[in-house]
Structures are given as structure tokens and as C-alpha cells.
Amino acid sequence: MGNKTVVGHSEQRWDAIAKVKGQAKFTADFPFKNMLYEKILRSTIAHGYVESYDTSEALKVPGVVKIFLPEDLPQNKYSTAGHPWTLVQEKRDIQDRTILTRHVRVYGDDIAAVVAKSELAAIQALAKIKVTYKKYPVYWTPKEAMAVGAQRIHEERDNVIADTCVGFGDVTKSMAEADYVIKEQLSTSVQQHVHMENQIAVAYQDADQRWTCVSSTQIPHICRRIIAQAVGVSWSKIRVKKPFIGGGFGNKQDAVVEPLVVALSMACNGQPIQLALTREESIGNTRTRHAIDYNFSIGVKKDGTITAIDCEVFSNQGGYASHGHAIGGKGGTFINAIYKMDSLRYAAKTVYTNIATAGAMRAYGMPQVVFALESVIDDAAEKIGMDPIEFRYKNRRPNGFYNEMSHVKQINFKVGECLEKGRKEFAWDKKLAASQAYKTGTKRLGVGIAAFSFGTAVYPFGLEVSGARLILMPDGCFKLMLGSTEIGQGADTAMSQMAAETIGVPFKNIIRDSFTDTDIDPYDTGAYASRQSYVTGFAVKEAAEKMKTKILARAAQTYDVRAEYIDIINGEIIYIPNGERLATLEEVAMASYFDMKDGKTITADSAVNIHQTTYASGCTLAEVEVDIETGRVKLLSIMNVHDSGKIINPLLATGQVEGGMAMGIGYGLSEGLRYDKTGRPLNNNLLDYKLPTTMDLPELKHTFVETDDPLGPFGNKSLGENPTVSPAPAIRNAVKNAIGIGINNLPLSPENVYEHLQVLKEGGQHV
Amino acid sequence: MGNKTVVGHSEQRWDAIAKVKGQAKFTADFPFKNMLYEKILRSTIAHGYVESYDTSEALKVPGVVKIFLPEDLPQNKYSTAGHPWTLVQEKRDIQDRTILTRHVRVYGDDIAAVVAKSELAAIQALAKIKVTYKKYPVYWTPKEAMAVGAQRIHEERDNVIADTCVGFGDVTKSMAEADYVIKEQLSTSVQQHVHMENQIAVAYQDADQRWTCVSSTQIPHICRRIIAQAVGVSWSKIRVKKPFIGGGFGNKQDAVVEPLVVALSMACNGQPIQLALTREESIGNTRTRHAIDYNFSIGVKKDGTITAIDCEVFSNQGGYASHGHAIGGKGGTFINAIYKMDSLRYAAKTVYTNIATAGAMRAYGMPQVVFALESVIDDAAEKIGMDPIEFRYKNRRPNGFYNEMSHVKQINFKVGECLEKGRKEFAWDKKLAASQAYKTGTKRLGVGIAAFSFGTAVYPFGLEVSGARLILMPDGCFKLMLGSTEIGQGADTAMSQMAAETIGVPFKNIIRDSFTDTDIDPYDTGAYASRQSYVTGFAVKEAAEKMKTKILARAAQTYDVRAEYIDIINGEIIYIPNGERLATLEEVAMASYFDMKDGKTITADSAVNIHQTTYASGCTLAEVEVDIETGRVKLLSIMNVHDSGKIINPLLATGQVEGGMAMGIGYGLSEGLRYDKTGRPLNNNLLDYKLPTTMDLPELKHTFVETDDPLGPFGNKSLGENPTVSPAPAIRNAVKNAIGIGINNLPLSPENVYEHLQVLKEGGQHV
């Protein structure tokens, strides 16, 4: 692990005290004088066209300033997806929406906006707007939207927005060489992020006549570009400021509210306007995890060799393209990353439907494909009578495997070590044996496992750039400026550790404020793809190395020694030959500010463009008790094992893993948006949307196979999203172990499990 | 003037529209949640000691949170003076005050503070605090405070805080060689800055547990240091933010309110606390222009040669040292800068008294010494019967003069050209001749002139450092970050012109926001000493040159041409050999952000330490009508002529000159703080303090002797303060020309002139 003194330690996150004392300011905590409030009028149909609006009664509500129809605001087509911009036109996100729309594609579509002097007045006015619709047929699933004769949801584009097929080998031939071919259909549910802070943004015209949007966004710099495209101004005319954020999980990687609120401020003389979504809107009308249907086949030999995997994917995009095919299309690479096989076919379609638009969500498509893959893998192991861990271990990709699908050499890929460590620390064999005594009776016990591979950042598929800036303060502290986004995960604390480590000062010497401002902070694409501690880590390292070099050069000159004979250790300038202190950092800093002769403040900038990546991996082991009378699955114990390279801050890593596991458990057991027949979300609230709370969860055990990844800036690789990936299939496999039924649709709610149990009880054959 | 395309043009100031629309945010425009309000309890004696406080009734006022006595807050000694810090202990400002004090040295001293939930409650509480004092003798003038047996105003220090004598030659011998020796006593008044926005600051604890002070300060970075020293924390624990400012004129070059408000927030759990001074406090209890008494002797020969100048200076410091001797002590250098003489003695004392503390004010000591010098010079010319312009012209320092007192070679010193241009454009000879017809009767006419020299920035006396940062935006615009301070003078507009000029883009391509933040903006000492367009100008130039080099290097690589064959002209990359456009700047910028292969955002930083200066000069010509029955002086016409190098923005320069002239006219004719016998200011309000308004002023004519100063970053030198210097003595000399009396005390109010006229009428001899 090297001689790291700050990286690798559980430094207290710099904002911990502020968050306890209530000093951390979120978007809603910034008061503005003369602020107006905005509410969105949402469609009450899922597909159709607004033929008329009657706003006459609404305009009479005291406090209402103005009501905006789609044609009152800019009509530019744009995409809300928070991808880095690309100079290659074909690689750009599909620009398929306008700020407001008469053409309704989802239930709750943005069809008008009310601006009022109070939120209450805006809400009252909403209720008084009368709308008449022309209704179109509603498509709930890719299958329906792909059917012959189905109406186009977007006139200019087929409902299948992308159709790709990747892989290698001859799948038909390899399948024929298998002893068994297991074919299954699997489907995942519509999960919602449920970040603590709902979407909120405030826009106003600034003194320079440009437009500022204060927003709870994961992607300030990208958000600037999206707003500019939506409202039709040059990009530098927009400034995005990001205060503290109460979570995002990918939902705030879409610019869902920002273009609208800026357009409205533009239409209201630049007055500050706030748009704060309610919890109901945030759950029902923002982005979701794509529901994906899989037709999955796997060929295995009796000795446990996988000959082929054939996977058909139907990704339910909902009404607008958002992140689109980037999610459903990526799975093949990671199937190939983890298991050996002779042939692979991964054929994916992403299809518009009329359910809520799906977008980025923590782990970005991996929970879906890993649920499918690890279910089928588990069933294959069962088929040939091999221990599921042994089967995975046998077929795992070796360290150093070159993944020809992504052109990534997996040089530090430790899934085998994770499986071994998990088997041991979870006491898999003991638990498996113990469960045998509970295969009859009301309460059945079972254990299950699921493994996964995971990328780090988006290279080579997308641009990976970042920047950092350090300023030496007069007292020897350093201000660290970043464009990367602290969204509650602790990124700024980790980056501060990296800066301190590299310069050679204690953690407390690094000053951060977690307020991102696109005008002045270094360019960075933001918080997604588990990229920041990796890509921004390189930027921090480069800036810190430059800073150190500059300080040492100055000290060398001042104290007349050779720069290579001195070092910064624990905040002091040390003369290496005798180990003695030459000066304090503060002395050098003060002279850099105030020496009449040559005082010049020291700053250091970096801008990096990263052309490498490294794959992480891991697994989940779960033990469940299934009540076969009620279908209730009780999670008795669970453990995640992560191969994520060097752990920058064990305490923060624990937070990431525990949070991710909880999200994965919810995905496995209880979460899923449901709709009524009109397309209205039935459970877009925290009473009915079943998110596990601390009370619902067992101890979230986890461990690391910690390595010093040679490709990581500090030996690290992705971790933020990874823990979310494998809990659901591990639970599914544990339930199968308990009751003998492999349930292939999520979530494994009591209702779902109960239905499957009925099939069994009625003597039917479970497919 | 070179081929400048942006510098030298009257670009509209970037914040003009915002100021018209009310979008420019000043400190009071930032609302804070749960803000508390603070009011200062001010002493009602001028010298003494608070023996007891009774706060019992005050604490009963609803809304009062807490009342702080001196011993409740930090007791560190500090100086409010906004000088750059120096590593040389002896050069530091005298640290003679604490945040609150029981030892009262001026009327209105800060003896306690009330914090309440509303400003009204705080004010009500103030009135209910009972205080008992032990009274000490009050000293109004240096003479009184210097008298044998006078009590020390600060126990640890003599009342004479500095006593210096500079010069050259043998004054006694040179005086003996003169045909005439003219001896005069002169005195100046206590002028107040009267900036539109009173002092205001808000302090709160930020999320990182450091302390932020939002303040209307001219010196954000220095203010950070002063606050830290006053409250006793490491400097980086303080962050100062400066929004738009409604003027400062030097008064906001003292940290008068910031240490107190930060100390109070610290004592109130970090809650936001606002301290906003009233107009009465701002005029009566902040800083003033030093009242200085002069004993001035000049020796002249009949041919107009000046043999010697001997000047004794008594600078009235008031209760605290603040900027201290830097003001009264500096005059000798500038006497030497403008006129030839064989010998000079400039003996200056700065003395504590019990009047309001004097500090920095626009032109920093020059209006006083130039009033004295130019009065005596004028009287000497009269004595030998020489035209006053001719006398000055004859004795002027030539271009290229090496000033041994400041070690500055005055290589671009054009006072002679100013005198010539003023004589011509003001129609001096015609006006002088015309006035001869009005030397009797009730209304007397007269013309007068006064000249001056003026430094640029504080080198070689103090540190001159600055920095700038430029960020290339994706659309080819540039964000300009500065630590220098826009205080209404238009600095940011001028700097933007400099950046645009250097890079080769239109003015509109430069983005500024005039919000200074000590955490992230480049280090710069702030707005004073007419230094910014000079020192910060160098920083902007260096950053812009670096930016241009980086852009051209990138473009050269992208388009495969040699960097020296391309240039940026009007925002486009031009291939010089054929003059054709190679690319737009936006194309290069977009690639720097988004090129997968080598996209890296382009930023450029500078930090400069300037070891040079250049002297400016100028003169004022005035024509007055004096009503000898009322003593009223009517200013008929006035003209300033400035030798300030290249004029960066003629429109903004006009604003500076007109404002400065108005301030100089007020100094000459009407302004002066008056006190009653207890030391209470009599006219600390805008009704009684006679500030000239637009209605009181004639047309403020001005012209420039424009040169391209080789020592200026863009050919420019000081201008911001200069216009204030010479109107008062020009008016004094015009009045003398009209009525035959040289009035040596300011202001020339009707009361003052009337008194002098009585002496004449009563047949007395005017001294």
C-alpha cells in the first residue's frame, strides 16, 4: 500500500460538524429577495396532445404572476442527459424534448408552468387550469411499442431508438457444444433513486446580464451546457452553482428542472424563480432505473465450462431518450469482463414507451444485467450440480485478461479473491450446510451468491477530463478548488486526503467548500460512473505535485539548498540529508505572499485527459429466510466483498458500501414503481414506495480485497456504485436455494414470492 | 499610442445595465436566514475610561440576544489600517486597539455591542445601557497632545507616534541665499469620504467551521488578515467576500467593522450577524482625512529661483494610529518631485489626539501638502511679481529627473505640458485679464492655479503584488478572476479591456463579476494608492499573454501550422502569411474542452511582484467670484489637466476626474467635520456636512496630456486619486487673486472667508 500517511485513513469528513450543526447550505437555504415560485402543470394522460388550455380562472388567483404555455418558452430540442459533450455528432444524446410540451409522452409530462409570488398561489392556480387532450394509444412495454402499427412516440424517430448487437465467436455453434442450454426470461423493475433532497433549482439574471442557476445537480458543468442548449444562448451565458446536495444517485445527472427555471426567469425580467419538486413529483416524474427484459441463454458443459451466452435485451426507455441506450447497451462488455466463454452475443434494443423516462441510476444498467446474468449463472451451476461459488470461480476471468469488447486490459481484476474471501468470511459452507435443515416447514432457509464486474469512469466510451486548482494560503493551508461534485458521498474529503498526501501535509491543511461554480471552478464533468476519485484523483495528484514542486523550488532558493535535497513532510520543509527541519511551510508561505523582493503567491492548476481505466469487481453473499405462507423474505445476513483497489478513506468507503447495499437490497426485495391503468404512478410517495430503512435491514457486512491498483491515481478504482449491483441476484439465488424456485422478476416482494409459491403448490412447473 | 483596439476606447462598463436595473448586489442585498443584528454602544466622552456598565434594563428589551462588553470578546491588539502585511516588524502598522474598549480615546469609541433579532431591538437596547466614566483631559490638536505633561492617550506609547525629517541640502544656507523668505502657517480641515454605501458587514460560520465575512471593503485580502489578527485565529480560517460596493474613497481601506462582527458571530454560535453603520456613524465614527498643520517657509530669488523649502508638519492622527505617519510623512518626496530647489527639509510629526481617527482618504495626504505647497508657491510668485503659471513652469522638475528621496526616476513626467495645456485651454490669460475689471465692488473675480505630482501604487515604500486568472470558456469567452477590487470606479471594466486587448478579442468576450472572494480569487492587496490599473494591469497582461500563448500553441498543433505564424485578431485565429481565418476561437475552445484525444481546458494564472513605479502630475485652474459682503465663493469655472499616461477608458476616466474634482472642490469650499465642546461631532449628517452636489458644481472641465508611459502595463499610470489633489489650492489662489487675501485654512466657507474679510475691513494686516 505504500507509505501513505493521509490516504487510507478514516479522516472525518470535513463537513461532518457542519451537517450536525445545520450549517451546510443546500439550494433551498439560499434566500433571495423578491423570489418567485414556479409549479409545473403536469399531464393527466400518458400519451396524447394538449388541444387547449383555459387559464382564465387560474390567472385570477391572487399572487399569480404569469402562466406559461409551451409556445411561450424556447422550443429548442435538447436532451436532459448528463453526458459529457462530444464533438462527434453521431455520439450525441438524442435531443427529443422541449422545455414544455403539448405533445404528452408520459403521465405527468410538463405541459405548462405557473409563476407566482408564493408556492401556495402557484399550486392553487395549477388546480384551476383546464386542459383538453387528444389521446393516443399508451405503450407500457418495449414489446407493445415495437409492435407492428404502433404509433411513433416521437414523430421523427422510430420507437426503437437503438438496436445493437455485440459479442464474439459463433454462439449457435458454441451452444451446440454445450451439454446443457439453459434459457430464461428475466425482468427488472422500475426503481427510483429517492435522494433525500428533491430536485430544486433557482434561476436569476446576474449583474453581468448572464443567467445563474443554483441547483442541486451532480453535473454543474454539463448542466450549464444543457441549459444553454435548451434556452438557446451561448454556453458562457449560463452559470451554474451547486451548493451542498442531499443525494443524487444519478437522478441529478439529468437536467430535469434547470432549463425550465432558467427559461422562466428569462421570461420574468430576470427575477429569481425557484422550482422545487415535491416528493411525489421527484419519485413519479423525474428519472428511474430502466426496467429491462432479458431473454437469456447459457450453454454449459458438465464439467462446468461455459460455452456460450446469448442475451436479448429490451430496455424500457419511457417517454424521452435521456441516457438512452448507454444503459441497456453496455451489459455485454461486463458479461465478458467477468466470465470465460467461447461465444457471446448481446443484442440490445432501447425502446420508447409511455412510462416514466428512465435515466441514470447508481450502477447505470449493471444491477439489471447482473441480476439476469447471475440468476442464469446460478441456475447453470445448479443444473450441473456444482457449488455456485466454485462454478463462478472456475469461470472467472483471470487477472490480466484483455477485454476485446472494451479494449481494456483487466490488469488488477480480483473477482476470484473476492469469491474466496466472501466464502470464508461469510462462512458460506457452514451457512449452506445449516440451511439444509430448513428446506421443509413454513420457514425455509437459503444462501445465495452473485458476483459482478464494474468499470471505472467512462473511458474509452466517453471523454474523461478533470481539473484541480490549489492555492497556498499565507498560513500554509491550501484551498482546493474542484469542478467535481460532492453530492454527499464524501468526494471532497477523499480529494482533500489525496491533495494532503501528495503535498505532504496533514489532512486539516486542505480547505474545501463543496460549492461548485462553473464560472471559476476547474472543468470536470461531475459525479457519475464512479469516476471522481479516479479521474479527478489524477487531477488532484497533478495539481498537488505541481504545488509541491513550486514550494520546494521557492524554499530551495530561499534557504540556498538543492530542491532535490528537501521534502515536505507533515507540513514542514525537511532537509533530507540530516532529516532536520529547514523551515515550516507557513514560513515559506508567508514569504511567498509578503517578501518585497520576490513574493509571489503560489497556485497550481491541472487539467487531465485520462486515457485509461481499470475494472473493479466484487460479490454479495446472502442468507434468507422465506415464509412460504406469506411469501415474505427475511434477509438474515448479507455481505459484500469489493475489489476496489486502495481504499482512500475506510470510513467513507463503509458509508458508500452500506448505502449501496441498502439500495441493492431494496431493488431485490421491495422497490418498484407501479402504475394504474391511466398511467398514473400508484406509489410515488414514501408511504407506498417500499424503500428499506435502517429498521428493515440486517447488519450490512462488507469487506475489501484491498490492492494498490497500478492504474489508479492512488491505487484506487471504482467503489461508489459497485455495492448496489449484486445484492438483488444474491438474494434471488438465496431464495431459490431456500424454496427451490428461481424467481426471475424483481422485486421479490411478498406478493411476488407468494404468487410463485402458488404455482408450485398447485403442482405446476416453475419456468 | 500603439495599435490598441480595446484599450483606449470608451467601452460601456460591464455592470452599467445591472446598476440601472437594480441587479447589482451589495452587501445588504444578501439575505441570510436567521440573521442577527448588531449595534455598537458608542462612548459619549472623547477621552476616559468606562468604570461600569449596567445592562440590566437593556437585556429586558424583547429580541435582545446578548450584550457584549470589551472583556467578552478577544483582546488582541491590532491595527485597522489596510496596508499590505510586511515581514519587517518595524514597518508594521501600530497595533493599538482592541475590538471593544473600556479605555475611550475618541468620542463614539466602541465600548460595547448589542446583538438582537432585529435592528430596532438593538437600537432600543443601546439606549438603555447605563455607563459611568472616569474622564481624562481631551486633546484636540497635536500641539495640545504634545504639550509637556499631557497624558498619554495610549499608555504604551508617546502621543507623538512618529517624528521624521527628510530632505537634502543645507536649508539654512539656502534660505540665506534667497532674496525673499516667505513663511506661512497653513491648516487643513477634517474631511469625510461620504461614500454612498455606509460600512456594512455580515459574518457567519461556514460549513468548514471557518468564518466568512461579507463586507463592503476595498481590501478583501488584507481585511482577512486584519480580522484574523483581531480575533486571534490562523489567517486561512477567515474568508472575506466582497460584493458590489457603493464607494470607499479610502474609508473602506480600514477594517472598521469586520473584526467586531466576526468576533460576535464567533460568540453567537456562528449565526449570521449583520453590522450596518448609520450615516451618522459613518461620517462621525469611522475614518477621516487627517487635519494637518504646516509651518511652511520658502526662499526665492527675484529671478524666480527657489532656493529652499522648509516645512514643519503636524498631522492630527486622532485616537488610533490607523494609517498613521504614512500620510503626514510622505509629502517631502512629492515636493521634491515637482519643483527644483537647492535644499529641502520636511520635518513631520504624527500625533495622537482625541478627535476622530484619521485614515486613508482619496489622494492619501496629497491634498493637504499640495494645499500648503501650492499656496506658498503662489504667494512666492506674487511676491516677486511673476505670473503663477510661469513661476511653476520655470521651477518644474524636468522629464527624467531622478528623485533621490524615493529613488524613482521620473521618466515620463509631464507637469510642464499640463501647465501649458491648462493655460491655453482654460484661457488663463484672457480670464486673468478679464478679472482685473472686478477687483473692486461687491463681487470680485479672480483666477488661480495649483499643480501637483502624484505617485502610482506604493512601490518602493511597500509591497506591490497582484495576480490574475483567465479561464477559456467553451464558446471562446474568458472568465477573468481578480483579487483587485471594483469599488464603483470601473476597475473591472478597465481590466477586462486590458485582457481583451492582450488576447485579441472583443471586450464583450471577457466575463467579470466584481465579486471578490479571498478563498479563490488571486491575491491582490486591493483598491488604494491608484495602484490597480497599474499593478493589477501587469498581472492581467501577464495572464492574458500566457492565455494567448496557450491558445496559439493548441491551434498550431490542431491545424498543423507554426505558432509564430498565427495570431488572435478580433476573436479569430488568423494565419498571418495570408491574413486568412484558420479557425474561430470558439472552435479551438470547444476542442480544448471536448476533444477525446487531447481536450484539456485552458487556464492561465499570473502572480506579479512589481518593482517599479511612475509619477503622474497635473494641475487645476479655477475662476471664482467672491461676494465680499457674505464671504461666499462662487466657482465660475474649473479645469483639471492630467498627465496620467494612456487613458484606458476615456468615459471611465471622465467619471474618475469629475468625481475627484467634486471632492477637491468640497475640500476647498465647504467640507469639514466640526465638534462641540464634549467632542461630539456637530455635523455628522448629510444635512449639515456640506458636500457639494451636482447642483453646487460648475461644469467639471478636464483634459489629458496623454502619453504612452513606457513604465505602465498599457502606457498608463495613476489617475483615480489625482483629480482630488489640486482643486482646493487652485480655488484658494483664485480667491486670493480676487480679494487679495491668501486664506490658509480650509475650507473657504462663507464663514471663513467673511472672517478674513473682516480683518481686512478693520484695517488689520492679514498674515
Side-chain angles (χ1 to χ4, degrees), chain B residues 455-646:
Chain B
T456 302
V458 304
Y459 182 86
F461 300 103
L463 180 73
E464 274 304 357
V465 295
S466 181
R469 174 171 165 77
L470 281 159
I471 303 167
L472 175 60
M473 295 286 189
D475 59 1
C477 289
F478 298 86
K479 176 76 179 194
L480 175 60
M481 293 173 71
L482 296 169
S484 60
T485 317
E486 165 71 53
I487 60 168
Q489 81 281 55
D492 280 342
T493 299
M495 304 300 173
S496 297
Q497 289 178 261
M498 293 175 182
E501 178 74 46
T502 308
I503 300 171
V505 296
F507 174 70
K508 67 176 172 51
N509 280 35
I510 309 295
I511 299 165
R512 268 302 288 155
D513 66 2
S514 291
F515 188 94
T516 311
D517 179 341
T518 57
D519 253 27
I520 53 182
D521 283 309
Y523 187 78
D524 185 292
T525 48
Y528 56 84
S530 296
R531 59 177 294 282
Q532 295 194 151
S533 67
Y534 190 75
V535 179
T536 313
F538 280 110
V540 170
K541 191 175 191 176
E542 184 179 309
E545 283 169 348
K546 284 183 183 174
M547 173 56 77
K548 181 170 191 162
T549 301
K550 287 182 181 186
I551 292 170
L552 291 179
R554 184 172 178 97
Q557 195 172 357
T558 305
Y559 299 102
D560 196 22
V561 294
R562 288 173 60 173
E564 59 268 36
Y565 286 175
I566 56 177
D567 197 2
I568 307 174
I569 297 172
N570 201 26
E572 298 188 328
I573 312 292
I574 301 296
Y575 187 62
I576 302 166
N578 65 9
E580 285 179 11
R581 187 177 82 183
L582 202 61
T584 64
L585 189 53
E586 184 174 359
E587 287 164 343
V588 178
M590 285 293 279
S592 77
Y593 274 81
F594 303 112
D595 191 297
M596 272 285 283
K597 184 165 62 69
D598 63 1
K600 288 185 183 185
T601 52
I602 301 178
T603 61
D605 264 49
S606 68
V608 299
N609 186 324
I610 299 304
H611 287 183
Q612 66 189 48
T613 184
T614 179
Y615 282 3
S617 65
C619 63
T620 302
L621 302 99
E623 179 186 27
V624 301
E625 175 193 277
V626 183
D627 183 330
I628 62 164
E629 290 189 338
T630 64
R632 178 165 181 258
V633 176
K634 186 174 174 187
L635 185 59
L636 297 179
S637 65
I638 188 163
M639 174 180 278
N640 264 28
V641 187
H642 289 284
D643 149 34
S644 287
K646 174 73 182 168

Side-chain angles (χ1 to χ4, degrees), chain A residues 39 244 259 331 415 482 575 626 706 709:
Chain A
K39 282 283 167 191
F244 277 99
V415 71
L482 297 170
Y575 187 62
V626 184
E706 200 173 352
D709 192 317

Side-chain angles (χ1 to χ4, degrees), chain B residues 372-446:
Chain B
L373 174 67
E374 288 297 296
S375 297
V376 178
I377 284 283
D378 215 75
D379 297 350
E382 189 182 357
K383 187 81 179 179
I384 60 168
M386 190 180 278
D387 174 84
I389 297 183
E390 195 186 330
F391 182 69
R392 286 172 173 88
Y393 192 88
K394 174 184 167 64
N395 284 294
R396 80 188 186 283
R397 287 293 187 193
N399 200 13
F401 168 66
Y402 176 75
N403 190 329
E404 66 268 36
M405 292 176 74
S406 58
H407 309 291
V408 171
K409 192 164 163 72
Q410 302 174 192
I411 69 161
N412 188 49
F413 190 71
K414 308 287 183 186
V415 71
E417 288 80 348
C418 289
L419 290 167
E420 284 180 322
K421 192 169 188 183
R423 175 170 220 140
K424 189 174 160 204
E425 297 204 7
F426 186 71
W428 168 268
D429 297 298
K430 195 175 149 197
K431 284 195 167 76
L432 181 63
S435 74
Q436 294 307 321
Y438 298 88
K439 299 299 186 199
T440 56
T442 308
K443 306 283 174 80
R444 310 275 173 94
L445 292 191

